[in-house]
């Protein structure tokens, strides 16, 4: 039902028309200008299936498909229902949004991709479900800023399997947690509501794994980078996350040699690493991307100093990672097999983290591996 919300009379007419349509067949999806005033419609007609704003064909179609799934016809549909993907059959990336509302001074993504545009949650869940039906055992949730999911659409309510679900990271995690596969979160900007997903990890609904790009620990450098987090609060939050979910694996990335970074500020970062005891860490020496605002900042750090800081950073983190992996020796871990003899534990994302090595197994199998030994990046063990 298309609607108009321009003047009061048009609103009344639209509301009446929705009522007539509901009386006729009981299944109504509302779109158009009045759709932005969701409460006005729901107050009178709480049973409408979905409400979208104007110019949102994708959301309308996803609501229609959610309530009236199109049967797959193998004779006419060239693309299988789970879509075509380039990753191995047993894991897949699930992109939930495009673009970003932040303006970190070292990054040009917003100028290329624009502001955040979240995919309708019904569409994301449908894709996830199709992937699982197609044999995927692990979903990797990605975007430029996963925790901002739904901000642009004011956490609009969508539909999955006929049930209302909000376009919000926590709701998405709860819904994905029902699919019975590994769900791994990437690029989670450390907003306060991230704390809400930690209990889901502790309950085993989604993987106890969080990829949070902290970037630095010095308050002044974080301000120059236009990142909101403060290192002290971050440490407090990490402690709280671990208290709720002791097995959580924390991955992060950092930039060293940002313009103006002093030796003291770099030392602060090393101290933060020591206290945070993160499990997996990537470190980049600052590189001036054309068009990034940070290039205008004074105090460019010489290349040699940047490299030296990167080396010292990795040395420190190397020791932390090794100790963390050693603590797993003697334990039995669930491992998703990527190829015979190589798999990943719940704490290892494909391509960027370590692996678990053992004899046997077939791609896509979930096996229990007894860990015998560890080095700085990988674990070694045997099938239970
Ligand atoms: S670094 Fe990430 S959060 Fe910051 S502007 Fe770029 S994409 Fe957005």
């Amino acid at each position: 039902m298309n609607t108009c919300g321009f003047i009061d009379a048009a609103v009344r007419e639209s509301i009446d028309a929705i009522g007539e349509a509901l009386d006729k067949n009981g299944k109504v999806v509302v779109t158009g200008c009045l759709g932005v005033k969701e409460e006005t419609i729901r107050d009178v007609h709480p049973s409408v299936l979905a409400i979208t704003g104007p110019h949102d064909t994708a959301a309308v179609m996803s609501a229609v498909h959610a309530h009236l799934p199109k049967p797959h016809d193998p004779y006419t549909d060239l693309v299988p229902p789970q879509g075509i993907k380039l990753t191995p059959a047993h894991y897949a990336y699930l992109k939930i949004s495009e673009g970003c509302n932040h303006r970190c001074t070292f990054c040009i993504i917003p100028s290329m991709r624009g502001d955040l545009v979240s995919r309708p949650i019904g569409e994301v869940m449908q894709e996830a479900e199709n992937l699982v039906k197609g044999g995927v055992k692990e979903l990797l949730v990605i975007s430029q800023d996963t925790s901002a999911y739904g901000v642009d659409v004011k956490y609009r309510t969508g539909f999955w399997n006929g049930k209302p679900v909000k376009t919000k990271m926590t709701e998405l995690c709860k819904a994905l947690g029902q699919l019975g596969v590994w769900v791994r979160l990437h690029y989670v900007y450390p907003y306060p509501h991230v704390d809400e997903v930690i209990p889901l990890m502790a309950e085993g609904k989604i993987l106890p794994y969080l990829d949070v790009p902290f970037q630095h620990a010095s308050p002044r450098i974080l301000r120059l980078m236009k990142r909101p987090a403060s290192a002290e609060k971050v440490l407090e939050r990490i402690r709280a996350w671990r208290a709720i979910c002791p097995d959580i694996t924390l991955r992060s990335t950092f930039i060293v040699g940002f313009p103006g970074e002093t030796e003291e500020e770099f030392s602060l970062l090393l101290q933060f690493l020591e206290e945070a005891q993160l499990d997996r860490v990537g470190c980049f020496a600052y590189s001036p991307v054309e068009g990034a605002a940070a290039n205008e900042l004074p105090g460019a750090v010489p290349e040699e100093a940047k490299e030296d800081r990167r080396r010292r950073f990795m040395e420190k983190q190397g020791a932390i990672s090794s100790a963390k992996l050693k603590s797993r020796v003697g334990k039995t871990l669930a491992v998703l097999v990527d190829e015979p003899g190589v798999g990943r534990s719940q704490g290892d994302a494909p391509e960027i983290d370590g692996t678990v090595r053992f004899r046997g197994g077939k791609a896509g199998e979930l096996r229990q591996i007894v860990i015998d030994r560890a080095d700085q990046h990988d674990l070694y063990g045997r099938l239970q």
Side-chain angles (χ1 to χ4, degrees):
M1 168 70 57
N2 199 4
T3 58
C4 175
F6 187 49
I7 52 170
D8 285 352
V11 172
R12 276 197 301 278
E13 203 178 313
S14 297
I15 294 278
D16 289 346
I18 295 167
E20 275 172 39
L22 278 170
D23 286 342
K24 279 211 172 116
N25 78 357
K27 287 189 176 179
V28 176
V29 173
V30 179
T31 184
C33 295
L34 189 59
V36 290
K37 293 184 184 156
E38 189 168 344
E39 299 308 323
T40 311
I41 300 168
R42 289 224 179 266
D43 279 351
V44 188
H45 300 302
S47 61
V48 293
L49 295 178
I51 299 173
T52 83
H55 305 298
D56 205 348
T57 318
V60 173
M61 288 318 293
S62 100
V64 170
H65 287 151
H67 294 280
L68 198 69
K70 189 167 139 268
H72 176 66
D73 180 349
Y75 297 103
T76 56
D77 292 356
L78 294 176
V79 179
Q82 70 272 22
I84 289 174
K85 59 191 208 64
L86 302 173
T87 39
H90 59 284
Y91 70 80
Y93 293 95
L94 185 65
K95 185 154 195 176
I96 59 168
S97 61
E98 184 60 87
C100 179
N101 286 347
H102 293 287
R103 295 294 180 264
C104 302
T105 53
F106 54 81
C107 175
I108 57 163
I109 285 177
S111 67
M112 293 186 313
R113 303 263 171 101
D115 283 341
L116 178 82
V117 179
S118 300
R119 288 179 63 200
I121 191 153
E123 189 183 304
V124 172
M125 284 308 301
Q126 191 60 57
E127 181 180 339
E129 215 180 334
N130 290 346
L131 286 164
V132 172
K133 278 184 195 149
V136 161
K137 303 278 174 35
E138 176 180 8
L139 293 165
L140 300 116
V141 177
I142 54 161
S143 68
Q144 259 85 47
D145 180 5
T146 296
S147 30
Y149 181 55
V151 167
D152 55 320
V153 291
K154 302 198 173 56
Y155 305 120
R156 181 169 59 207
T157 301
F159 284 83
W160 175 52
N161 281 346
K163 293 200 189 102
V165 201
K166 281 204 159 132
T167 313
K168 202 171 182 198
M169 183 178 77
T170 318
E171 300 274 315
L172 175 71
C173 291
K174 284 183 190 160
L176 289 172
Q178 294 172 36
L179 297 178
V181 295
W182 283 12
V183 175
R184 195 184 293 283
L185 301 183
H186 284 289
Y187 314 120
V188 179
Y189 201 85
Y191 294 114
H193 72 263
V194 170
D195 299 359
E196 293 171 11
V197 298
I198 311 297
L200 298 178
M201 297 180 178
E203 289 163 24
K205 301 270 171 26
I206 60 172
L207 288 185
Y209 180 99
L210 204 53
D211 175 9
V212 199
F214 292 124
Q215 307 301 7
H216 212 283
S218 144
R220 192 185 76 92
I221 297 291
L222 286 168
R223 267 197 308 278
L224 288 176
M225 287 177 166
K226 289 213 178 149
R227 308 277 299 182
S230 96
E232 242 169 66
K233 287 216 179 102
V234 164
L235 284 171
E236 257 173 51
R237 289 176 74 196
I238 289 176
R239 275 191 280 274
W241 293 345
R242 287 195 172 124
I244 298 169
C245 183
D247 287 338
I248 193 168
T249 294
L250 295 174
R251 149 168 273 278
S252 191
T253 46
F254 293 86
I255 296 174
V256 295
F258 189 78
E261 181 191 65
T262 63
E263 188 54 35
E264 288 71 41
E265 285 163 336
F266 175 67
S267 301
L268 211 71
L269 179 54
L270 293 184
Q271 202 182 315
F272 171 85
L273 274 190
E274 186 63 47
E275 289 182 48
Q277 293 285 308
L278 302 172
D279 300 81
R280 305 283 190 185
V281 168
C283 176
F284 303 93
Y286 174 76
S287 108
V289 183
E290 205 185 318
N295 301 343
E296 310 304 322
L297 293 171
V301 178
E303 286 306 316
E304 266 171 46
K306 277 195 230 171
E307 259 320 301
D308 181 57
R309 286 179 193 173
R310 203 185 70 81
R311 186 189 51 73
R312 283 155 64 202
F313 180 105
M314 290 316 287
E315 215 170 84
K316 164 134 273 355
Q317 181 57 37
I320 296 171
S321 300
S322 296
K324 289 232 145 201
L325 286 183
K326 266 204 188 88
S327 71
R328 301 204 171 168
V329 174
K331 292 190 174 156
T332 302
L333 303 180
V335 166
L336 183 59
V337 181
D338 282 329
E339 58 183 90
V342 186
R344 289 172 295 106
S345 74
Q346 298 194 340
D348 304 302
E351 312 285 339
I352 50 173
D353 292 330
T355 56
V356 182
R357 310 256 164 180
F358 51 92
R359 272 182 208 282
K362 274 207 313 239
E365 278 181 348
L366 204 54
R367 303 297 297 256
Q368 297 293 316
I369 305 289
V370 183
I371 304 301
D372 295 324
R373 145 177 107 74
D375 61 22
Q376 199 170 320
H377 302 290
D378 303 307
L379 294 168
Y380 302 83
R382 61 202 137 85
L383 291 171
Q384 193 182 43

